[in-house]
Amino acid sequence: MADTATTASAAAASAANASADAPPFQLGKPRFQQTSFYGRFRHFLDIIDPRTLFVTERRLREAVQLLEDYKHGTLRPGVTNEQLWSAQKIKQAILHPDTNEKIFMPFRMSGYIPFGTPIVVGLLLPNQTLASTVFWQWLNQSHNACVNYANRNATKPSPASKFIQGYLGAVISAVSIAVGLNVLVQKANKFTPATRLLVQRFVPFPAVASANICNVVLMRYGELEEGIDVLDGDGNLVGSSKIAARHALLETALTRVVLPMPILVLPPIVMSMLEKTALLQARPRLLLPVQSLVCLAAFGLALPLAISLFPQMSEIETSQLEPEIAQATSSRTVVYNKGL
């Protein structure tokens, strides 16, 4: 009887451990299903996990080697699915999927929130001067340009002139829109000082959203001219498609419009309410730290939501692509890296 109870307990424990275990590992595939928004959301939470910024060079090499061992069937006994998923998470967070080169820390998606939050705080500072408006818009678009370039689709070489062209276009558009809107607000005589200050706080959003589109299109225009690589279900190169490139840029541009919405719209609303509280009225020095925390929370919410709109490795039917692509494969669909 005791033996039966012990066996039942062991079986229950084994079943519990199995259910709590990670899903079976698939090399190069996301841990979570990419067909649903929730699956993509959980996937990108891994991609933007700031803890990966502190991964050492040794740990990165170990992770890459573990995946190579798995690929070649030389994996040592005892390695769990969780360890393999963790190794792939580290590799994907640090190395570019097309070049396998390390992405500079401030320009990784995992560094976007820690390095971007101070810029957002600067963009939303009240009573901006012309010089401060220009400075923060320039700094924001400089950071965005570097993030776009670092996380681009790199299956085709892109000259430095394209990067410079996109960068200058984004900076000029952002600064022009922000300064123009600020001037219009200042000249609006119907606004009370309080209303004018509130409206000014929302100026960064249209400036940043417009510039983000300009930034993505100009910096990745070469993809529209030359196309991007599309792969079949086994990861084999099928060809280069300009139509897939258009889809990739459209998806990325939409993401970059959605991204600043919560970041640049929610904090002004929240801060306009918090500033009326007795605590902040009695201690105005707390305004900047509180605004920084609000911006950090908004950024942390917005980034995974925005980049989860579309899977990074997007799928498209061959019938929608160029005839030569459809003829080059028997697969009904192909995939491409849209970038981030």
Side-chain angles (χ1 to χ4, degrees), residues 1-19:
M1 189 76 174
D3 289 341
T4 304
T6 304
T7 303
S9 299
S14 177
N17 289 334
S19 64

Side-chain angles (χ1 to χ4, degrees), residues 113-114 117-118 120-121 263 267 290-302:
I113 294 175
T117 298
V120 173
V121 174
I263 300 173
V290 169
Q291 179 165 320
S292 300
L293 289 174
V294 170
C295 290
L296 179 62
F299 211 154
L301 171 69

Side-chain angles (χ1 to χ4, degrees), residues 27-100:
L27 184 63
K29 302 290 185 181
R31 178 172 180 170
F32 307 101
Q33 287 292 330
Q34 297 298 283
T35 52
S36 69
F37 177 82
Y38 180 65
R40 294 193 296 271
F41 180 75
R42 294 186 67 184
H43 168 69
F44 283 116
L45 283 179
D46 275 353
I47 297 294
I48 68 169
D49 187 347
R51 292 175 297 179
T52 59
L53 296 173
F54 303 100
V55 170
T56 63
E57 190 70 31
R58 178 182 175 183
R59 178 71 184 96
L60 175 61
R61 286 197 303 267
E62 290 174 351
V64 171
Q65 186 59 53
L66 190 64
L67 297 175
E68 285 296 311
D69 291 345
Y70 176 88
K71 181 179 180 180
H72 295 105
T74 58
L75 201 62
R76 67 182 185 273
V79 175
T80 64
N81 285 316
E82 186 61 47
Q83 288 174 307
L84 289 167
W85 284 121
S86 178
Q88 184 159 273
K89 171 182 174 177
I90 290 170
K91 181 183 178 182
Q92 289 179 338
I94 299 175
L95 303 181
H96 193 283
D98 295 329
T99 65
N100 275 325

